[in-house]
Amino acid sequence: MRAVLTVLMAWGVLAGGGVAGGVPAAAAGATLRRSAAVSVAPGVAYGEFRMTVPRGTVHGHLLTVDLADPRVSVDLLYPGAVGARSPVSQLAAERRAVGAVNGDFFNITETQHPGVQATGASVGPAVASGRQLKGAVPDGQRFGPVMPPGATTEDVIGVGYDRRARLDRLTLHGAVLTGAGALPLRGLNQYALPVGGIGAYTAQWGPASRVRATCGTDTDRAAPCSAETTEVTVRHGRVTAVGEVPGAGGVAVGSVVLVGREEGARQLRMLHIGEPVSVSSYLDGQGSGRLRCAVGGFPIVRDGAPVAGLDPAAVAVRTSAGIGAGGRVLYLMALDGAPGQTGLTVRELADVMAQLGARDAMDLDGGGSSTLVTGDAYGATVRNHPSGGAERPVPNALGVFSAG
């Protein structure tokens, strides 16, 4: 009964929802035509909607998640390493999630740096089951559509230990403690480091090459790779190797690999084999209480209205996660990429999420990445049609679980 009431509430708000400020968007005045929502598990419902805009028909898929139901939980799904990718259906099936959508934008290609391997790692911070996996790359190093003014790669949507969803901003703090003093840590398992910075790579990074971390600049992703780099391996608190070129291969449990560029490289070069070194890091949020899970994106709705400065022009298949009912309802939405259907601009996406009931919402990775699945004991079913014709492997996804 609780699940049914939740579904009715969620779909009921579709008829409401207004648009405030900014450039008028086609979706603002369009009528959403909804299918009957069905329960896929206690506290979790799946439904579809369609609407007609001047350029064609938009078809969306929506999971409505009742976080107030104690049987329901949400976590970040990822393929066991930050620098790796898997299809959403595989990530969901391996964890027996009852639903999932793809997550953050990621390092998908390296055409700007011939010979450098793309890592597949995501742009923003990532937290899974309370474990802080990675920090955010510099704003100028991100992939994805242009962010609105005031947004940053540190922006996330997550669910706290209080079982409430919220938008937040996770900033990395850390240090490399040496006998000569403390060196600032500027990265954690990131595919791009700030110019002059030092980054730490743990067993969570995986076997992907670390060369990409020293390419580009804070404002230009395509800038050449740094000519001045150093890599230091710390094993059980002591330096065991010092080299000039970042390497590849998994980082052993109990070890940390430090990569520095420019000034960071010069600082690391001062370390000697056998020297005691310790590394500390944590992601600090602006909200109250720790996040149990978090994924990067950028805000498109705040307090029930689209944020200012969203792109009103580029049309694409898109994925979004929204929050309603004071953080107790989570909306996970992906558009359908089947031929003959149209996508949305980011500005229109914000209108749609507000109409669906989201008081706050994030834009997640779209295009060929947009995937929404539901799952059961037999596996996961892809509900939308990925625009590339097949599922694209992605670095992470938001997964929904139900103990009922």
Side-chain angles (χ1 to χ4, degrees):
M1 178 62 72
R2 181 176 198 151
V4 172
L5 290 174
T6 299
V7 173
L8 292 175
M9 176 190 71
W11 286 112
V13 299
L14 285 167
V19 179
V23 178
T31 300
L32 289 165
R33 302 183 303 278
R34 306 176 299 279
S35 68
V38 297
S39 175
V40 297
V44 184
Y46 164 74
E48 301 177 56
F49 65 87
R50 286 177 171 82
M51 67 180 186
T52 301
V53 295
R55 61 181 173 273
T57 299
V58 178
H59 180 193
H61 301 258
L62 179 71
L63 286 171
T64 303
V65 184
D66 180 9
L67 295 175
D69 189 322
R71 296 168 293 184
V72 174
S73 63
V74 176
D75 202 2
L76 186 74
L77 309 178
Y78 72 107
V82 169
R85 297 193 288 156
S86 292
V88 174
S89 61
Q90 181 177 328
L91 294 173
E94 288 175 349
R95 290 278 303 275
R96 297 194 174 184
V98 298
V101 295
N102 64 287
D104 201 356
F105 304 92
F106 61 96
N107 176 209
I108 189 172
T109 181
E110 279 304 320
T111 55
Q112 310 98 330
H113 306 111
V116 175
Q117 182 184 48
T119 66
S122 62
V123 168
V127 179
S129 301
R131 174 180 291 181
Q132 299 182 341
L133 300 179
K134 67 177 298 292
V137 303
D139 287 351
Q141 291 269 19
R142 66 182 294 276
F143 289 76
V146 175
M147 296 187 295
T152 166
T153 53
E154 295 180 345
D155 287 324
V156 299
I157 185 168
V159 178
Y161 283 91
D162 60 357
R163 301 179 53 79
R164 290 181 183 268
R166 70 174 189 258
L167 302 188
D168 207 338
R169 183 167 289 181
L170 296 179
T171 302
L172 178 69
H173 298 277
V176 179
L177 303 177
T178 74
L183 305 176
L185 188 71
R186 303 288 303 283
L188 172 65
N189 292 330
Q190 296 166 203
Y191 71 78
L193 295 174
V195 172
I198 296 172
Y201 295 82
T202 69
Q204 291 295 326
W205 170 250
S209 171
R210 295 176 289 275
V211 171
R212 176 59 186 84
T214 61
C215 299
T217 68
D218 298 358
T219 57
D220 183 5
R221 192 181 73 205
C225 300
S226 175
E228 189 173 13
T229 63
T230 302
E231 181 171 279
V232 171
T233 301
V234 178
R235 175 74 171 165
H236 296 311
R238 291 193 177 271
V239 175
T240 59
V242 179
E244 292 184 358
V245 181
V251 179
V253 175
S255 295
V256 178
V257 173
L258 300 172
V259 174
R261 56 180 298 178
E262 297 88 34
E263 178 58 27
R266 292 189 285 272
Q267 292 171 331
L268 290 181
R269 209 171 295 137
M270 302 295 290
L271 299 177
H272 304 285
I273 292 178
E275 181 175 348
V277 170
S278 63
V279 181
S280 64
S281 67
Y282 67 97
L283 296 170
D284 185 27
Q286 297 179 344
S288 175
R290 290 178 57 211
L291 290 172
R292 184 178 181 274
C293 69
V295 68
F298 62 85
I300 57 173
V301 178
R302 288 191 184 274
D303 298 324
V307 304
L310 296 175
D311 178 19
V315 175
V317 176
R318 302 193 186 276
T319 302
S320 182
I323 303 165
R328 291 300 194 186
V329 175
L330 185 65
Y331 303 98
L332 302 179
M333 192 282 295
L335 296 182
D336 203 290
Q341 295 173 151
T342 187
L344 294 170
T345 69
V346 178
R347 179 62 177 80
E348 291 171 337
L349 178 67
D351 291 324
V352 167
M353 293 306 292
Q355 290 185 62
L356 290 174
R359 294 289 298 172
D360 300 291
M362 294 283 280
D363 180 45
L364 302 176
D365 191 14
S369 298
S370 284
T371 309
L372 185 147
V373 308
T374 58
D376 55 29
Y378 302 100
T381 301
V382 179
R383 293 289 190 167
N384 69 328
H385 295 86
S387 61
E391 279 191 86
R392 173 187 287 169
V394 295
N396 52 39
L398 278 174
V400 183
F401 303 87
S402 177

